[in-house]
Amino acid sequence: MPAIIVDRLSKSFDYYKKEAGLSHSFRNLFYRKPLRKDAVTEISFRVEEAEMVGFLGPNGAGKTTTLKMLTGILHPTAGEASVLGYVPWERRKAFKKQFAIVMGQKSQLWWDLPANESLMLNKCIYEIEDRSFGRIVGELSELLDVRDLLSVQVRRLSLGERMKLELIAALLHEPKVLFLDEPTIGLDLLSQRKIREFLKTLNRERRTTVLLTSHNMNDIVDLCKRTVIINGGKVIYDGDLAKVNGWLDQRKIVRVSLAEPVERRRLEAYGIVRSVEDVEAVLEVEKTFVKEQAKRILDDLPVVDFTIEDVSIEEGIAQLYRNGGEENESAPEIRQDVRHGVYALDGVPD
Amino acid sequence: MVPWLKEGRRYLRIYLFFLKNSVISMMEYRINFLFGILIEIGYLAIKFSYVYVIYRIGVSVNGLTPDEILLFVGAFTIMAGLYSMLFHSNFYMLPEHVRTGTLDLMMTKPVSLQFMATLRSIQIGYAVPNVIGGTAMVVWGWREAGVPATFGNVSLFVLYLLIGLLMTYAVFLAPQLIAFWTVKTNGINEASNALFDFNQMPMAIYSKWIQRVGTFFIPVFLITNLSPLSVLGRLTSWQLAWGLVAPVVFLALVRWIWTAAVRNYASASS
Amino acid sequence: MGFMHSMEYRTDFALSLLSGIFPVGVQLFLWNAVYGSSQESVYGYTKLEVIGYTLLAALFAKMMATGFEYEISKDIKDGQLSKFIVQPIRYGPYRLSRFLGEKGPQLIVLAVLAGIACVLLRNYAGLDITGTGLLLCAAALIVSVLLNFLIYYCLSTVSFWLLEVWGIFYTFALISLLASGGVFPIDMFGPVVQQALGVLPFPYLVFFPVHIALGRVDGDALLQGFGVQFAWIAVLIALTGALWRAGLRKYESAGG
């Protein structure tokens, strides 16, 4: 049975538009017209037990809103979801004891106290036995290399150190499902790597199901085989991250360093010119002609250096965002079947 | 073990953690602790000025002698200390928890959200001057008014103070819950604190109409009036009965508002 | 902008107005009850006079509310003060003009309310409020606002020596409210307390202007009151100057 099932989940909420001017302020005193915003629209996906799935999307795409619904913080407007067989927003105690959420910008640790005290409080809240508490704290702090930091006041810690302790506080009760909302936001590279390693170990050894949102592509590339990409409140891609740019696979990027500047018009003969800067040029060439064009370039132009690359994942995703973000139906050319995770391409968008 | 007893013990243990954590924080910010005491001494001076003026006037006010009034002001002062120690900073922080989303994390914990959000911080500093000053006023007024210091009387006084504490929780949490619907609540905070100060003087000084509103609808008068009235033997039988029923009614009411507020939060925010 | 901002939070707006009225309500009921049991005057005040006092004192005490002392303390703590040492703006005049600019609209609203209260008290309560009295009261209030500014400006210099000061400011404001007659008329505290307070600047902030409005201050006392106000202004200017210079020396040597 999948650990997480999301079925046509939607969330919309009312908000008030602020209008400038004193007369509007007066009018607002008595009446305000609510506006409706759809944060998430009929999204569906599944996460299997012990799977680690990346949840990707630009700001305001609805990632956090979805996580909040799956952790019972928010009630959906429509649709269904189940996490470990529970309906999250019923907020059953038994359910709460089996998952954890860590949000990069929110802290559950008491600011003025050593993290130890917060851990003790969680021990009490989750009714953890003394023996297993000692063992878990020992193991986790060993893995994250924060043994000595447990007795330091949280406000004296660096952001990276604090996040590691947040993770320990969240994992004390050995949750089966872990939700992470931007866990590496604002962290230095070293801490980011440490946390990623830790999450991998956790997933491998404890078979913890992880659903993770991040802006940081490295998090997702490194951790998640599968990615769900949402934009404008809709799922626009669900599948292997490496294939996200599959439909851009028909193109290759050719980078050329030249001995002397060459006119743009001359370069256009070999492919679409993405950029020319002094002696550096980047061209986009159709895959089928790459070999042929490369040969021509090397023959015709004063080439110093020359590389052929795939279109990057970031670029593929950026392209997806652009298409998925548009309101009309024609934009996302990817047809999806959530149940089977099969995706077909209807054509190559430009 | 009986399940509810086990739960009770768990909540008590969590509450002791809150207390312990608050004490550690207090040690950390000693200056805030000192300033808390200083400010409360300032307020105590204002409260005391009422007593001073009444003693100087020296006449009975609506049937209460200055000594008897001192008993009321004392109970009010003790309660003001307990309110600011146990509840006020929590209630004050509630909109902040909503705004910054710390409430979200509390919602995922397997304990009552209301318990977590409204009782977590305990500010001992604020209570010190008020509880000491208030107790001194009560003791003085008690002796001068000639109330027998029997065990029964003292227990009665304390019992109604505890009831007053429950009433304080219910009456002053409710207005803060509007934070779940609107963001800014400074005004609510000020207004409800000003309501609390209606107990500065015995309820007997107010008009009948206000007394009724303050007893039944916004029952602020039940917070500090019942203790002195009971030991002065002036508690009417309906006041006695309502004093016991009201905490149940209003705690249930605030629980209901709380549930509605959280439901609204869960469905109206993103 | 500030006004529009407060309109935006509508419930909030109405409620903060309400909270200003409540404490006055408690006092009015207290006086009602006190006079209910004895009809004669208490400490030289008839029932209507004491009601008049309570209303006007509440409004005048609001006029004396400040907040810039926290800003000064912040400027000193954050090193923002350095800007003023380099620039050719004097910090004192800058603070005073900002204070008056921000306080101005509020002062006007309070003055209008006080004017309405005076008219009502004269017409319906038969209090002896005269035009001359009101003019003199307005003059006294203008001096009071300046005097009050100087008191808090002087107090704010403690920020040079203490890192945390908010508790001191807050407590000072409470004591000042009590000592200025913002809670009870200070002559009700008895002649000893009144005389002791009389040498301090506080009674000249609220008690003195209210008494002028109520026509309870005559020729000599009036001159004497204004005299003390100006004397305190002179003293505070000198004191603040000395403290400020001493503070700046410490501030600069600390490399702020």
Side-chain angles (χ1 to χ4, degrees):
Chain A
M1 195 181 114
I4 303 173
I5 305 170
V6 180
D7 187 17
R8 281 165 297 155
L9 205 58
S10 297
K11 171 81 186 169
S12 52
F13 60 94
D14 293 338
Y15 67 105
Y16 298 98
K17 196 176 158 194
K18 273 187 263 178
E19 279 170 289
L22 196 57
S23 65
H24 283 294
S25 293
F26 265 112
R27 214 172 300 154
N28 285 348
L29 204 56
F30 305 104
Y31 175 74
R32 287 189 296 187
K33 190 171 172 238
L35 296 169
R36 184 149 268 249
K37 181 168 165 53
D38 298 316
V40 173
T41 316
E42 296 211 338
I43 62 165
S44 303
F45 62 87
R46 284 167 183 230
V47 179
E48 294 301 323
E49 211 185 295
E51 203 182 359
M52 211 167 185
V53 173
F55 207 35
L56 214 58
N59 269 338
K63 297 178 306 239
T64 304
T65 307
T66 308
L67 280 202
K68 282 185 180 175
M69 286 192 279
L70 294 180
T71 49
I73 295 167
L74 295 182
H75 206 287
T77 319
E80 281 161 43
S82 109
V83 177
L84 299 166
Y86 294 93
V87 177
W89 43 90
E90 285 176 0
R91 295 211 292 271
R92 298 264 165 86
K93 190 176 162 192
F95 168 58
K96 287 176 176 177
K97 283 189 161 190
Q98 292 185 54
F99 80 91
I101 180 165
V102 175
M103 296 169 139
Q105 283 158 319
K106 288 166 195 169
S107 177
Q108 66 159 314
L109 301 173
W110 292 50
W111 190 243
D112 305 318
L113 307 176
N116 254 336
E117 302 294 335
S118 296
L119 297 186
M120 288 297 283
L121 179 63
N122 271 5
K123 169 182 181 293
C124 204
I125 287 174
Y126 286 98
E127 298 167 283
I128 301 162
E129 300 291 324
D130 286 343
R131 198 142 31 103
S132 53
F133 175 76
R135 176 180 57 80
I136 297 162
V137 174
E139 279 174 19
L140 297 180
S141 56
E142 196 66 46
L143 270 174
L144 283 163
D145 205 9
V146 287
R147 266 241 146 119
D148 311 331
L149 302 178
L150 288 172
S151 50
V152 179
Q153 278 161 336
V154 172
R155 67 190 166 93
R156 296 191 205 279
L157 299 173
S158 75
L159 203 59
E161 292 168 336
R162 215 169 69 217
M163 184 44 70
K164 290 174 191 166
L165 293 167
E166 291 281 352
L167 278 168
I168 296 180
L171 293 168
L172 277 185
H173 59 291
E174 305 187 282
K176 291 193 186 122
V177 176
L178 176 62
F179 297 96
L180 296 161
D181 192 18
E182 303 283 357
T184 60
I185 198 160
L187 303 192
D188 57 283
L189 288 172
L190 216 63
S191 305
Q192 286 185 17
R193 203 174 307 153
K194 189 93 201 169
I195 284 176
R196 283 201 289 266
E197 265 169 42
F198 172 77
L199 291 174
K200 266 191 219 168
T201 315
L202 189 78
N203 174 251
R204 194 177 55 234
E205 288 177 4
R206 305 225 163 138
R207 298 184 47 81
T208 308
T209 311
V210 180
L211 182 60
L212 148 117
T213 81
S214 185
H215 270 95
N216 189 337
M217 200 60 72
N218 292 330
D219 287 349
I220 310 265
V221 172
D222 201 21
L223 292 174
C224 310
K225 221 175 106 38
R226 193 178 131 215
T227 309
V228 176
I229 302 178
I230 71 170
N231 193 17
K234 291 174 187 156
V235 172
I236 53 174
Y237 181 83
D238 182 344
D240 192 340
L241 186 61
K243 289 185 189 140
V244 92
N245 55 344
W247 51 278
L248 281 178
D249 255 4
Q250 286 99 335
R251 309 262 170 105
K252 289 271 180 186
I253 303 293
V254 178
R255 287 178 196 277
V256 207
S257 293
L258 303 160
E260 61 200 48
V262 173
E263 260 184 79
R264 197 185 175 100
R265 269 187 37 213
R266 243 183 99 189
L267 291 169
E268 276 166 359
Y270 310 100
I272 301 158
V273 181
R274 283 198 164 187
S275 69
V276 198
E277 230 171 283
D278 200 27
V279 293
E280 305 287 332
V282 182
L283 302 172
E284 204 179 298
V285 181
E286 284 209 29
K287 203 175 181 177
T288 32
F289 305 124
V290 153
K291 211 168 160 188
E292 187 180 321
Q293 296 290 30
K295 223 173 137 204
R296 280 179 59 202
I297 292 170
L298 287 170
D299 287 347
D300 301 352
L301 300 172
V303 174
V304 179
D305 198 4
F306 180 90
T307 55
I308 301 176
E309 299 165 5
D310 288 327
V311 177
S312 71
I313 291 174
E314 279 92 337
E315 211 173 301
I317 290 169
Q319 191 74 37
L320 266 177
Y321 286 177
R322 243 172 285 144
N323 293 331
E326 288 165 23
E327 298 281 4
N328 56 47
E329 281 84 18
S330 71
E333 259 85 10
I334 305 159
R335 225 178 27 227
Q336 50 168 294
D337 184 334
V338 176
R339 303 269 135 59
H340 303 99
V342 172
Y343 301 88
L345 299 169
D346 276 358
V348 182
D350 44 38
Chain B
M1 213 188 296
V2 195
W4 65 262
L5 196 66
K6 194 169 160 237
E7 275 301 277
R9 277 183 45 168
R10 184 164 80 106
Y11 276 89
L12 188 66
R13 280 187 58 197
I14 298 173
Y15 195 71
L16 288 177
F17 265 105
F18 289 164
L19 182 64
K20 179 182 157 204
N21 288 355
S22 301
V23 172
I24 302 175
S25 300
M26 185 184 84
M27 299 303 232
E28 189 60 31
Y29 295 101
R30 252 166 264 155
I31 193 76
N32 287 5
F33 173 70
L34 285 176
F35 282 169
I37 291 183
L38 196 65
I39 289 170
E40 288 304 320
I41 289 175
Y43 278 117
L44 198 58
I46 292 181
K47 289 181 189 117
F48 194 73
S49 75
Y50 278 78
V51 176
Y52 186 69
V53 165
I54 283 171
Y55 265 98
R56 280 190 49 85
I57 295 169
V59 294
S60 291
V61 178
N62 289 2
L64 294 167
T65 66
D67 296 320
E68 287 167 349
I69 291 174
L70 186 59
L71 218 47
F72 285 84
V73 180
F76 165 71
T77 307
I78 293 173
M79 198 57 80
L82 295 179
Y83 173 39
S84 45
M85 169 167 114
L86 300 173
F87 307 139
H88 185 254
S89 64
N90 290 301
F91 295 177
Y92 186 78
M93 281 301 286
L94 205 58
E96 195 65 10
H97 289 316
V98 174
R99 203 176 57 78
T100 60
T102 33
L103 193 81
D104 291 349
L105 287 174
M106 289 184 215
M107 280 171 104
T108 64
K109 299 282 171 206
V111 275
S112 156
L113 176 63
Q114 191 181 346
F115 173 77
M116 275 288 269
T118 62
L119 295 172
R120 63 194 345 238
S121 147
I122 299 151
Q123 305 286 335
I124 297 167
Y126 291 113
V128 176
N130 283 314
V131 172
I132 294 173
T135 309
M137 288 187 218
V138 168
V139 169
W140 183 269
W142 193 295
R143 227 185 44 199
E144 296 296 307
V147 179
T150 61
F151 177 75
N153 270 343
V154 175
S155 331
L156 205 58
F157 195 86
V158 173
L159 171 74
Y160 276 112
L161 276 186
L162 289 176
I163 286 177
L165 201 58
L166 296 179
M167 292 305 298
T168 307
Y169 180 84
V171 174
F172 292 97
L173 176 57
Q176 286 296 330
L177 296 182
I178 207 165
F180 285 91
W181 283 275
T182 166
V183 186
K184 204 177 170 184
T185 55
N186 284 340
I188 298 165
N189 208 45
E190 278 174 41
S192 58
N193 284 342
L195 265 182
F196 190 81
D197 289 343
F198 267 87
N199 285 316
Q200 175 86 57
M201 287 283 111
M203 66 192 267
I205 69 161
Y206 303 106
S207 68
K208 279 273 168 293
W209 190 77
I210 290 188
Q211 288 192 29
R212 273 179 213 133
V213 171
T215 306
F216 296 106
F217 295 104
I218 312 171
V220 282
F221 291 148
L222 300 186
I223 291 170
T224 66
N225 279 283
L226 299 184
S227 283
L229 283 175
S230 70
V231 296
L232 291 172
R234 300 199 189 181
L235 208 61
T236 58
S237 45
W238 63 262
Q239 273 174 331
L240 187 131
W242 178 237
L244 297 174
V245 174
V248 180
V249 172
F250 283 93
L251 282 176
L253 191 67
V254 81
R255 177 69 195 166
W256 180 75
I257 301 174
W258 174 273
T259 316
V262 172
R263 201 183 312 122
N264 171 72
Y265 175 77
S267 56
S269 61
S270 68
Chain C
M1 263 328 275
F3 181 65
M4 267 163 61
H5 205 68
S6 46
M7 292 299 272
E8 209 182 299
Y9 301 99
R10 40 190 175 169
T11 36
D12 205 57
F13 181 69
L15 283 164
S16 45
L17 281 180
L18 204 65
S19 64
I21 300 168
F22 282 167
V24 181
V26 175
Q27 287 176 12
L28 291 181
F29 274 108
L30 172 65
W31 291 126
N32 189 44
V34 165
Y35 283 90
S37 30
S38 71
Q39 289 303 318
E40 332 96 72
S41 70
V42 175
Y43 285 99
Y45 290 86
T46 64
K47 181 176 178 179
L48 291 168
E49 275 173 336
V50 93
I51 285 171
Y53 184 94
T54 306
L55 289 176
L56 291 181
L59 292 168
F60 292 179
K62 274 259 183 290
M63 288 185 183
M64 301 304 141
T66 58
F68 68 89
E69 64 272 22
Y70 297 92
E71 288 169 31
I72 295 182
S73 141
K74 196 162 164 285
D75 279 353
I76 293 174
K77 212 157 89 177
D78 303 349
Q80 287 289 316
L81 196 65
S82 309
K83 238 173 33 191
F84 292 90
I85 299 171
V86 181
Q87 282 176 0
I89 313 176
R90 297 268 316 273
Y91 193 71
Y94 160 75
R95 271 292 156 207
L96 179 62
S97 60
R98 252 193 88 164
F99 169 68
L100 292 178
E102 284 165 10
K103 191 85 183 165
Q106 201 197 347
L107 287 175
I108 292 167
V109 172
L110 289 166
V112 170
L113 288 176
I116 295 170
C118 285
V119 171
L120 292 177
L121 286 167
R122 195 181 64 132
N123 293 353
Y124 296 97
L127 290 185
D128 183 24
I129 296 172
T130 60
T132 336
L134 285 185
L135 277 179
L136 283 168
C137 167
L141 273 175
I142 290 168
V143 186
S144 302
V145 169
L146 285 177
L147 177 58
N148 190 51
F149 171 83
L150 280 168
I151 291 174
Y152 282 94
Y153 194 74
C154 186
L155 178 70
S156 67
T157 57
V158 297
S159 310
F160 284 114
W161 291 276
L162 297 176
L163 204 61
E164 291 289 340
V165 286
W166 61 269
I168 297 170
F169 290 167
Y170 199 111
T171 312
F172 187 88
L174 291 174
I175 301 299
S176 169
L177 178 73
L178 189 59
S180 64
V183 184
F184 290 106
I186 54 171
D187 49 0
M188 282 203 181
F189 297 141
V192 179
V193 178
Q194 192 189 353
Q195 268 167 19
L197 288 175
V199 290
L200 296 174
F202 305 110
Y204 304 92
L205 300 176
V206 176
F207 180 75
F208 178 59
V210 176
H211 266 212
I212 297 177
L214 294 178
R216 293 171 71 96
V217 189
D218 50 16
D220 277 356
L222 194 67
L223 278 179
Q224 198 194 333
F226 275 109
V228 179
Q229 276 193 324
F230 283 111
W232 266 111
I233 285 181
V235 169
L236 282 168
I237 287 174
L239 185 63
T240 307
L243 285 171
W244 193 261
R245 272 188 300 278
L248 270 188
R249 267 199 302 280
K250 183 170 179 289
Y251 179 81
E252 277 164 349
S253 67

